[in-house]
Amino acid sequence: MVVILKQNADKKQLDNLVNWLGSQEIKVQATVGVHTTILGLVGDTSKIDIDMIQSLPIVETVKRIQEPYKNSNRKFHPLDSIIDVRGQKVGEGMFHVMAGPCSIEGEDQIINIAKAVKSSGASMLRGGAFKPRTSPYAFQGLRGEGLELMKKAREATGLPIVTEIMSASHLELFEDVDLIQVGARDMQNFELLKELGHCKKPILLKRGLANTIEELLMSAEYIMAGGNPNVILCERGIRTFETATRNTLDISAIPYLKEKSHLPIIVDPSHASGVSWLVNPLAMAAIAAGADGLMIEVHNNPPKALSDGAQSLTPAQFDETMKSIKGLVAYMGKSMGKVEQ
Ligand code: PEP
Ligand code: MN
């Protein structure tokens, strides 16, 4: 962090600042020029409140040189993290496809979809039980019953299950969930993130609708700072001025996150596009950009789906997509995750 002082900065206030930084284990290297004095802050500045420094009367500007996230930062953890999800390794060389309906709608539906996506090569089953819907009148999910049906589908197929949590008060219900999803709308639900930091469950953290990459990593930091290192990031498209698609898939976020962080990154082309025929090309682009896996919505009867039918693939379309991605996954030097049973 670099602090540029105002001209004729009060000496006493400057001493106070330097002493306080010293108490935070930050060393200060001052460069005194004719008109300007620059303070170079050396040490772990991730816990220093930049706004507080900026608000001091003696300070002209402050610039952060080091990223404010530490646990998720590749600088402090150069090797890729590998996250274990019920025996499946996510990250470093493995490529996982999490597939299933937007919402769990019933026992036959989820079990049949689970069997179909597994036979096409998916290695995890996704399905929403608690659904974040824009309208309170829209289908809200089967909630606790949905979680039980997911477990039945896991029993039938061996696929680890991924499902979204919306409230920390539901954590007990999620005890037997293999990968807990934090949805885009909850990426900055900090109390939820803190609670998830206190468990050891793997967490799939989706990027918020209008959040920066740094904000995504700061949310990962909330979970990791609490003692849970098992975070998988998910790029699912962000809101832009473009209206042709539901969201805009930020492809550059994939290599950028790989550079800045050691955490695995999954891409969700279904929510990114909002239209089923775009899922395949976006999935290919995500793989080419270095993603560690995909999350794809699959429904037995998309026009009748209770949520997100327009972006859902039929099992047959999903099968085609899986066939088309395998060569590219191998070309990228990755192996498809697989579940035996
Ligand atoms: C979902 O995965 O069904 C979902 C609601 O996703 P997102 O939080 O990315 O909108
Ligand atoms: Mn959905």
PDB file of all heavy atoms in Angstrom, residues 258-280:
ATOM      1  N   LYS A 258      -7.603 -17.728 -12.441  1.00  0.00           N
ATOM      2  CA  LYS A 258      -6.550 -18.753 -12.369  1.00  0.00           C
ATOM      3  C   LYS A 258      -5.208 -18.112 -12.004  1.00  0.00           C
ATOM      4  O   LYS A 258      -4.396 -18.694 -11.298  1.00  0.00           O
ATOM      5  CB  LYS A 258      -6.412 -19.464 -13.712  1.00  0.00           C
ATOM      6  CG  LYS A 258      -7.496 -20.450 -13.960  1.00  0.00           C
ATOM      7  CD  LYS A 258      -7.054 -21.808 -13.448  1.00  0.00           C
ATOM      8  CE  LYS A 258      -8.203 -22.710 -13.200  1.00  0.00           C
ATOM      9  NZ  LYS A 258      -7.976 -23.664 -12.140  1.00  0.00           N
ATOM     10  N   GLU A 259      -4.980 -16.918 -12.553  1.00  0.00           N
ATOM     11  CA  GLU A 259      -3.725 -16.197 -12.293  1.00  0.00           C
ATOM     12  C   GLU A 259      -3.678 -15.706 -10.846  1.00  0.00           C
ATOM     13  O   GLU A 259      -2.666 -15.794 -10.171  1.00  0.00           O
ATOM     14  CB  GLU A 259      -3.655 -15.015 -13.283  1.00  0.00           C
ATOM     15  CG  GLU A 259      -2.499 -14.053 -13.097  1.00  0.00           C
ATOM     16  CD  GLU A 259      -1.167 -14.626 -13.563  1.00  0.00           C
ATOM     17  OE1 GLU A 259      -1.166 -15.622 -14.307  1.00  0.00           O
ATOM     18  OE2 GLU A 259      -0.127 -14.062 -13.145  1.00  0.00           O
ATOM     19  N   LYS A 260      -4.794 -15.164 -10.375  1.00  0.00           N
ATOM     20  CA  LYS A 260      -4.808 -14.504  -9.065  1.00  0.00           C
ATOM     21  C   LYS A 260      -5.057 -15.447  -7.904  1.00  0.00           C
ATOM     22  O   LYS A 260      -4.724 -15.136  -6.770  1.00  0.00           O
ATOM     23  CB  LYS A 260      -5.901 -13.417  -9.045  1.00  0.00           C
ATOM     24  CG  LYS A 260      -5.637 -12.266  -9.997  1.00  0.00           C
ATOM     25  CD  LYS A 260      -4.516 -11.420  -9.475  1.00  0.00           C
ATOM     26  CE  LYS A 260      -4.181 -10.281 -10.411  1.00  0.00           C
ATOM     27  NZ  LYS A 260      -3.025  -9.508  -9.940  1.00  0.00           N
ATOM     28  N   SER A 261      -5.727 -16.576  -8.189  1.00  0.00           N
ATOM     29  CA  SER A 261      -6.144 -17.451  -7.097  1.00  0.00           C
ATOM     30  C   SER A 261      -5.781 -18.908  -7.401  1.00  0.00           C
ATOM     31  O   SER A 261      -5.659 -19.298  -8.563  1.00  0.00           O
ATOM     32  CB  SER A 261      -7.657 -17.314  -6.893  1.00  0.00           C
ATOM     33  OG  SER A 261      -8.084 -18.217  -5.899  1.00  0.00           O
ATOM     34  N   HIS A 262      -5.646 -19.680  -6.344  1.00  0.00           N
ATOM     35  CA  HIS A 262      -5.331 -21.110  -6.484  1.00  0.00           C
ATOM     36  C   HIS A 262      -6.597 -21.961  -6.441  1.00  0.00           C
ATOM     37  O   HIS A 262      -6.543 -23.187  -6.518  1.00  0.00           O
ATOM     38  CB  HIS A 262      -4.399 -21.547  -5.347  1.00  0.00           C
ATOM     39  CG  HIS A 262      -4.904 -21.155  -3.988  1.00  0.00           C
ATOM     40  ND1 HIS A 262      -5.712 -21.974  -3.236  1.00  0.00           N
ATOM     41  CD2 HIS A 262      -4.771 -20.008  -3.280  1.00  0.00           C
ATOM     42  CE1 HIS A 262      -6.028 -21.354  -2.113  1.00  0.00           C
ATOM     43  NE2 HIS A 262      -5.477 -20.157  -2.104  1.00  0.00           N
ATOM     44  N   LEU A 263      -7.765 -21.308  -6.290  1.00  0.00           N
ATOM     45  CA  LEU A 263      -9.020 -22.073  -6.151  1.00  0.00           C
ATOM     46  C   LEU A 263      -9.514 -22.561  -7.519  1.00  0.00           C
ATOM     47  O   LEU A 263      -9.358 -21.862  -8.520  1.00  0.00           O
ATOM     48  CB  LEU A 263     -10.094 -21.186  -5.504  1.00  0.00           C
ATOM     49  CG  LEU A 263      -9.767 -20.680  -4.094  1.00  0.00           C
ATOM     50  CD1 LEU A 263     -10.828 -19.694  -3.625  1.00  0.00           C
ATOM     51  CD2 LEU A 263      -9.632 -21.836  -3.105  1.00  0.00           C
ATOM     52  N   PRO A 264     -10.144 -23.735  -7.564  1.00  0.00           N
ATOM     53  CA  PRO A 264     -10.704 -24.211  -8.838  1.00  0.00           C
ATOM     54  C   PRO A 264     -11.863 -23.320  -9.296  1.00  0.00           C
ATOM     55  O   PRO A 264     -12.532 -22.708  -8.464  1.00  0.00           O
ATOM     56  CB  PRO A 264     -11.231 -25.619  -8.501  1.00  0.00           C
ATOM     57  CG  PRO A 264     -10.778 -25.942  -7.132  1.00  0.00           C
ATOM     58  CD  PRO A 264     -10.372 -24.674  -6.449  1.00  0.00           C
ATOM     59  N   ILE A 265     -12.079 -23.293 -10.596  1.00  0.00           N
ATOM     60  CA  ILE A 265     -13.190 -22.486 -11.123  1.00  0.00           C
ATOM     61  C   ILE A 265     -14.056 -23.290 -12.091  1.00  0.00           C
ATOM     62  O   ILE A 265     -13.572 -23.913 -13.018  1.00  0.00           O
ATOM     63  CB  ILE A 265     -12.711 -21.150 -11.724  1.00  0.00           C
ATOM     64  CG1 ILE A 265     -13.872 -20.438 -12.416  1.00  0.00           C
ATOM     65  CG2 ILE A 265     -11.551 -21.308 -12.689  1.00  0.00           C
ATOM     66  CD1 ILE A 265     -13.809 -18.971 -12.341  1.00  0.00           C
ATOM     67  N   ILE A 266     -15.361 -23.228 -11.782  1.00  0.00           N
ATOM     68  CA  ILE A 266     -16.380 -23.922 -12.565  1.00  0.00           C
ATOM     69  C   ILE A 266     -17.156 -22.850 -13.335  1.00  0.00           C
ATOM     70  O   ILE A 266     -17.332 -21.742 -12.825  1.00  0.00           O
ATOM     71  CB  ILE A 266     -17.361 -24.629 -11.583  1.00  0.00           C
ATOM     72  CG1 ILE A 266     -16.636 -25.661 -10.709  1.00  0.00           C
ATOM     73  CG2 ILE A 266     -18.562 -25.245 -12.289  1.00  0.00           C
ATOM     74  CD1 ILE A 266     -16.082 -26.841 -11.443  1.00  0.00           C
ATOM     75  N   VAL A 267     -17.623 -23.182 -14.532  1.00  0.00           N
ATOM     76  CA  VAL A 267     -18.401 -22.208 -15.306  1.00  0.00           C
ATOM     77  C   VAL A 267     -19.818 -22.747 -15.525  1.00  0.00           C
ATOM     78  O   VAL A 267     -20.004 -23.928 -15.821  1.00  0.00           O
ATOM     79  CB  VAL A 267     -17.701 -21.887 -16.645  1.00  0.00           C
ATOM     80  CG1 VAL A 267     -18.589 -21.050 -17.545  1.00  0.00           C
ATOM     81  CG2 VAL A 267     -16.387 -21.147 -16.370  1.00  0.00           C
ATOM     82  N   ASP A 268     -20.782 -21.861 -15.363  1.00  0.00           N
ATOM     83  CA  ASP A 268     -22.193 -22.203 -15.543  1.00  0.00           C
ATOM     84  C   ASP A 268     -22.707 -21.496 -16.797  1.00  0.00           C
ATOM     85  O   ASP A 268     -23.098 -20.326 -16.738  1.00  0.00           O
ATOM     86  CB  ASP A 268     -22.968 -21.759 -14.284  1.00  0.00           C
ATOM     87  CG  ASP A 268     -24.484 -21.891 -14.427  1.00  0.00           C
ATOM     88  OD1 ASP A 268     -24.972 -22.124 -15.547  1.00  0.00           O
ATOM     89  OD2 ASP A 268     -25.175 -21.720 -13.407  1.00  0.00           O
ATOM     90  N   PRO A 269     -22.690 -22.190 -17.952  1.00  0.00           N
ATOM     91  CA  PRO A 269     -23.139 -21.541 -19.187  1.00  0.00           C
ATOM     92  C   PRO A 269     -24.657 -21.442 -19.270  1.00  0.00           C
ATOM     93  O   PRO A 269     -25.178 -20.696 -20.117  1.00  0.00           O
ATOM     94  CB  PRO A 269     -22.584 -22.461 -20.279  1.00  0.00           C
ATOM     95  CG  PRO A 269     -22.457 -23.804 -19.641  1.00  0.00           C
ATOM     96  CD  PRO A 269     -22.238 -23.581 -18.178  1.00  0.00           C
ATOM     97  N   SER A 270     -25.384 -22.146 -18.401  1.00  0.00           N
ATOM     98  CA  SER A 270     -26.845 -22.110 -18.451  1.00  0.00           C
ATOM     99  C   SER A 270     -27.364 -20.766 -17.956  1.00  0.00           C
ATOM    100  O   SER A 270     -28.119 -20.074 -18.653  1.00  0.00           O
ATOM    101  CB  SER A 270     -27.438 -23.244 -17.601  1.00  0.00           C
ATOM    102  OG  SER A 270     -26.911 -24.486 -17.987  1.00  0.00           O
ATOM    103  N   HIS A 271     -26.961 -20.381 -16.732  1.00  0.00           N
ATOM    104  CA  HIS A 271     -27.400 -19.085 -16.206  1.00  0.00           C
ATOM    105  C   HIS A 271     -26.727 -17.931 -16.944  1.00  0.00           C
ATOM    106  O   HIS A 271     -27.273 -16.835 -17.018  1.00  0.00           O
ATOM    107  CB  HIS A 271     -27.157 -18.999 -14.699  1.00  0.00           C
ATOM    108  CG  HIS A 271     -28.075 -19.900 -13.936  1.00  0.00           C
ATOM    109  ND1 HIS A 271     -27.756 -21.205 -13.654  1.00  0.00           N
ATOM    110  CD2 HIS A 271     -29.329 -19.709 -13.438  1.00  0.00           C
ATOM    111  CE1 HIS A 271     -28.759 -21.773 -13.003  1.00  0.00           C
ATOM    112  NE2 HIS A 271     -29.728 -20.890 -12.869  1.00  0.00           N
ATOM    113  N   ALA A 272     -25.528 -18.177 -17.481  1.00  0.00           N
ATOM    114  CA  ALA A 272     -24.823 -17.106 -18.201  1.00  0.00           C
ATOM    115  C   ALA A 272     -25.586 -16.701 -19.452  1.00  0.00           C
ATOM    116  O   ALA A 272     -25.639 -15.520 -19.802  1.00  0.00           O
ATOM    117  CB  ALA A 272     -23.418 -17.568 -18.566  1.00  0.00           C
ATOM    118  N   SER A 273     -26.197 -17.689 -20.141  1.00  0.00           N
ATOM    119  CA  SER A 273     -26.829 -17.371 -21.426  1.00  0.00           C
ATOM    120  C   SER A 273     -28.335 -17.229 -21.314  1.00  0.00           C
ATOM    121  O   SER A 273     -28.931 -16.367 -21.958  1.00  0.00           O
ATOM    122  CB  SER A 273     -26.506 -18.469 -22.440  1.00  0.00           C
ATOM    123  OG  SER A 273     -27.065 -19.695 -21.996  1.00  0.00           O
ATOM    124  N   GLY A 274     -28.953 -18.107 -20.540  1.00  0.00           N
ATOM    125  CA  GLY A 274     -30.421 -18.086 -20.444  1.00  0.00           C
ATOM    126  C   GLY A 274     -31.104 -18.784 -21.605  1.00  0.00           C
ATOM    127  O   GLY A 274     -32.331 -18.854 -21.647  1.00  0.00           O
ATOM    128  N   VAL A 275     -30.333 -19.270 -22.573  1.00  0.00           N
ATOM    129  CA  VAL A 275     -30.918 -19.961 -23.738  1.00  0.00           C
ATOM    130  C   VAL A 275     -30.158 -21.257 -23.994  1.00  0.00           C
ATOM    131  O   VAL A 275     -28.930 -21.262 -24.049  1.00  0.00           O
ATOM    132  CB  VAL A 275     -30.864 -19.115 -25.039  1.00  0.00           C
ATOM    133  CG1 VAL A 275     -32.220 -18.662 -25.472  1.00  0.00           C
ATOM    134  CG2 VAL A 275     -29.908 -17.959 -24.960  1.00  0.00           C
ATOM    135  N   SER A 276     -30.935 -22.313 -24.200  1.00  0.00           N
ATOM    136  CA  SER A 276     -30.305 -23.639 -24.241  1.00  0.00           C
ATOM    137  C   SER A 276     -29.297 -23.796 -25.387  1.00  0.00           C
ATOM    138  O   SER A 276     -28.272 -24.439 -25.225  1.00  0.00           O
ATOM    139  CB  SER A 276     -31.382 -24.722 -24.289  1.00  0.00           C
ATOM    140  OG  SER A 276     -32.200 -24.538 -25.415  1.00  0.00           O
ATOM    141  N   TRP A 277     -29.579 -23.194 -26.564  1.00  0.00           N
ATOM    142  CA  TRP A 277     -28.668 -23.457 -27.700  1.00  0.00           C
ATOM    143  C   TRP A 277     -27.323 -22.759 -27.540  1.00  0.00           C
ATOM    144  O   TRP A 277     -26.374 -23.049 -28.260  1.00  0.00           O
ATOM    145  CB  TRP A 277     -29.327 -23.112 -29.043  1.00  0.00           C
ATOM    146  CG  TRP A 277     -29.690 -21.661 -29.241  1.00  0.00           C
ATOM    147  CD1 TRP A 277     -30.864 -21.066 -28.917  1.00  0.00           C
ATOM    148  CD2 TRP A 277     -28.870 -20.643 -29.819  1.00  0.00           C
ATOM    149  NE1 TRP A 277     -30.837 -19.733 -29.254  1.00  0.00           N
ATOM    150  CE2 TRP A 277     -29.624 -19.449 -29.813  1.00  0.00           C
ATOM    151  CE3 TRP A 277     -27.580 -20.617 -30.355  1.00  0.00           C
ATOM    152  CZ2 TRP A 277     -29.124 -18.238 -30.305  1.00  0.00           C
ATOM    153  CZ3 TRP A 277     -27.084 -19.416 -30.846  1.00  0.00           C
ATOM    154  CH2 TRP A 277     -27.852 -18.240 -30.813  1.00  0.00           C
ATOM    155  N   LEU A 278     -27.230 -21.832 -26.577  1.00  0.00           N
ATOM    156  CA  LEU A 278     -25.935 -21.179 -26.351  1.00  0.00           C
ATOM    157  C   LEU A 278     -25.068 -21.928 -25.336  1.00  0.00           C
ATOM    158  O   LEU A 278     -23.893 -21.603 -25.154  1.00  0.00           O
ATOM    159  CB  LEU A 278     -26.158 -19.739 -25.848  1.00  0.00           C
ATOM    160  CG  LEU A 278     -26.480 -18.707 -26.934  1.00  0.00           C
ATOM    161  CD1 LEU A 278     -26.867 -17.384 -26.309  1.00  0.00           C
ATOM    162  CD2 LEU A 278     -25.289 -18.528 -27.866  1.00  0.00           C
ATOM    163  N   VAL A 279     -25.675 -22.918 -24.675  1.00  0.00           N
ATOM    164  CA  VAL A 279     -24.935 -23.619 -23.614  1.00  0.00           C
ATOM    165  C   VAL A 279     -23.696 -24.317 -24.180  1.00  0.00           C
ATOM    166  O   VAL A 279     -22.596 -24.200 -23.622  1.00  0.00           O
ATOM    167  CB  VAL A 279     -25.864 -24.616 -22.875  1.00  0.00           C
ATOM    168  CG1 VAL A 279     -25.079 -25.553 -21.967  1.00  0.00           C
ATOM    169  CG2 VAL A 279     -26.914 -23.841 -22.064  1.00  0.00           C
ATOM    170  N   ASN A 280     -23.872 -24.991 -25.317  1.00  0.00           N
ATOM    171  CA  ASN A 280     -22.740 -25.729 -25.887  1.00  0.00           C
ATOM    172  C   ASN A 280     -21.567 -24.819 -26.273  1.00  0.00           C
ATOM    173  O   ASN A 280     -20.441 -25.044 -25.810  1.00  0.00           O
ATOM    174  CB  ASN A 280     -23.224 -26.563 -27.077  1.00  0.00           C
ATOM    175  CG  ASN A 280     -22.195 -27.616 -27.457  1.00  0.00           C
ATOM    176  OD1 ASN A 280     -21.019 -27.309 -27.589  1.00  0.00           O
ATOM    177  ND2 ASN A 280     -22.613 -28.857 -27.606  1.00  0.00           N
TER     178      ASN A 280
END
